Amino acid sequence: MREFIVEADGGSRGNPGPAGYGSVVIDAATGETLAERAEYIGVATNNVAEYRGLVAGLRAARELDPSATVRVRMDSKLVVEQMSGRWKIKHPDMKPLAAEAARVLPAAQVTYEWIPRERNKHADRLANEAMDAGKRGEQWEASASRAGLGARVRETPAAPEPAGPPGDAAAGAAKAREALTRSHRAPAAAQAPSGTEDAPATPVTPVAPVTRVAGAADGQAAASGGDEDTTKTRADRRAARGVAAQAAVTEAGPAPDAGRAAEGGPGVTPSVGWGAAPDLGAPATFVLLRHGETPLTPQKRFSGSGGTDPSLSDVGREQAERVAAAFARRGTIQHILASPLARTRETAGAVAARLGLEVTVEDGLIETDFGAWEGLTFGEVRERHPEDLNAWLADPEAEPTGGGESFAATATRIAATRDRLVARYAGRTVLLVTHVTPIKTFVRLALGAPPESLFRMELSAASVSAVAYYSDGNASVRLLNDTSHLRP
């Protein structure tokens, strides 16, 4: 009896938003790709797209051999657990899709396995090709697909190719390895780091007007230039390159000349540290400010984008004034963007009034929608919705009760927002006034950390974090949860 592997994935750019799926059927014995399926399906959620990809993959396997056994491999723990019968299917949109998938082949012929996202790249690329085609007003065509080429690249590691958007650690490490290889062919002189503190700016206090940016369709031109201290910027840049290069050596093993360099051999440039890498220009630096306290903050209640949209409390307003004074003393902020919620706009307004800048409202910075959990404490959610909470803690694809936003969907949204803003504000220092989940997600993506790292970061009200994004795709986390400005 033949055995097939079906790898399937789906995605939504907005959740819900423009969506597509991809699936591939592989011969389990030979590893040969037997069939590819992909389709743009209009506006849908991630989970709907994933189920559609599963159905298409199972149907393709049935067309090849209806008697074959099938191993389904997906990076959606939600779909895998639901189709395996271990998790209940509660969402009304999921039930008919799960039933449709179950009817394609007899249950005894199909097993389900969760795999990490990096092992599901073929199906992921197919889904993205479908969404790209839909954006052009077209449907995906197999003859134009290059998704399978990406799977074959993994078998030839001699020429690593960056595989992620700017600011993702995986893509940065790949580029660092590539630069490392070039550095051995054409050694360059090493430089020593140096730096000075930024000079304080004189605060001014005009009224801060507000401009709205309507998400990804915004066509505002990129700002250019920068007034940050250039010596300090170069030192930060070199430090980030050193860290990235060290990460590359850790992953790929030492370079051929590394031993001779350590021994002081003649004419050998160190492969990591301060040498070899080209000047990348000033990074786009995102200073990430969590809003000040609201009445819900000290009670530790879920407060996302689907709740009551509380304003700052008296304590929160005092925190906003303190952080505004700190930014005025430092004098490096050049632009201010804020989530559309009241607490972030109020915090941003306090800073803008001290710096004489405008506040631009950026919808992509909004907090996660916690669905029916809005306004509840963690303990209350545990008592009322234990199964949903356990699924949410275990799977980034799981949504809060009532159809809120999953952490996976939040990450997709933040990554798209990051890419737009990095392009728009190249070389600039931008204050992003936002919320707990978006800030933790910016940091997680920059570090290449797994989704569960969101539960391992502390982020206080009115705290400051910072990430710098370089032109080669590397990101450097410079600061996390700094609250020194709040101390008397």
Side-chain angles (χ1 to χ4, degrees), residues 280 349-350 415 454:
L280 302 176
L454 295 175

Side-chain angles (χ1 to χ4, degrees), residues 287-294 296-298 300-303 312 316 319-320 323 327 343-344 347-348 351 367 431-440 458-465 481-483 485-486:
V287 180
L288 306 167
L289 172 62
R290 185 189 172 194
H291 59 80
E293 281 192 11
T294 74
L296 299 181
T297 306
K300 298 187 180 300
R301 295 185 180 275
F302 283 93
S303 183
L312 297 181
Q319 291 171 333
V323 74
F327 286 135
R343 53 194 182 271
T344 44
T347 304
V351 178
E367 178 61 289
L431 178 65
L432 306 184
V433 188
T434 179
H435 309 265
V436 169
T437 313
I439 293 174
K440 288 184 177 182
E458 176 68 24
L459 210 65
S460 303
S463 64
V464 177
S465 305
N481 196 38
D482 177 25
T483 57
H485 50 277
L486 301 179

Side-chain angles (χ1 to χ4, degrees), residues 460-484:
S460 303
S463 64
V464 177
S465 305
V467 181
Y469 299 92
Y470 296 88
S471 60
D472 67 345
N474 279 310
S476 172
V477 177
R478 295 183 173 181
L479 192 66
L480 181 65
N481 196 38
D482 177 25
T483 57
S484 59

Side-chain angles (χ1 to χ4, degrees), residues 354-396:
R354 293 293 295 266
L355 301 185
L357 297 173
E358 294 186 356
V359 177
T360 298
V361 173
E362 168 56 61
D363 292 340
L365 298 176
I366 200 167
E367 178 61 289
T368 300
D369 181 352
F370 293 112
W373 303 350
E374 296 280 359
L376 302 180
T377 65
F378 188 88
E380 289 169 340
V381 174
R382 171 75 74 187
E383 181 179 341
R384 300 180 192 184
H385 309 286
E387 291 184 0
D388 291 347
L389 181 62
N390 288 337
W392 182 73
L393 293 172
D395 181 11

Side-chain angles (χ1 to χ4, degrees), residues 205-280:
T205 57
V207 176
V210 175
T211 305
R212 173 170 289 276
V213 174
D218 176 76
Q220 181 178 338
S224 61
D227 57 8
E228 206 171 352
D229 184 285
T230 54
T231 305
K232 182 175 184 297
T233 300
R234 284 196 296 270
D236 286 338
R237 209 160 53 233
R238 289 192 294 269
R241 288 199 297 270
V243 171
Q246 183 61 57
V249 170
T250 301
E251 184 175 343
D257 290 333
R260 288 167 52 205
E263 297 165 5
V268 178
T269 301
S271 59
V272 297
W274 311 115
D279 191 347
L280 302 176

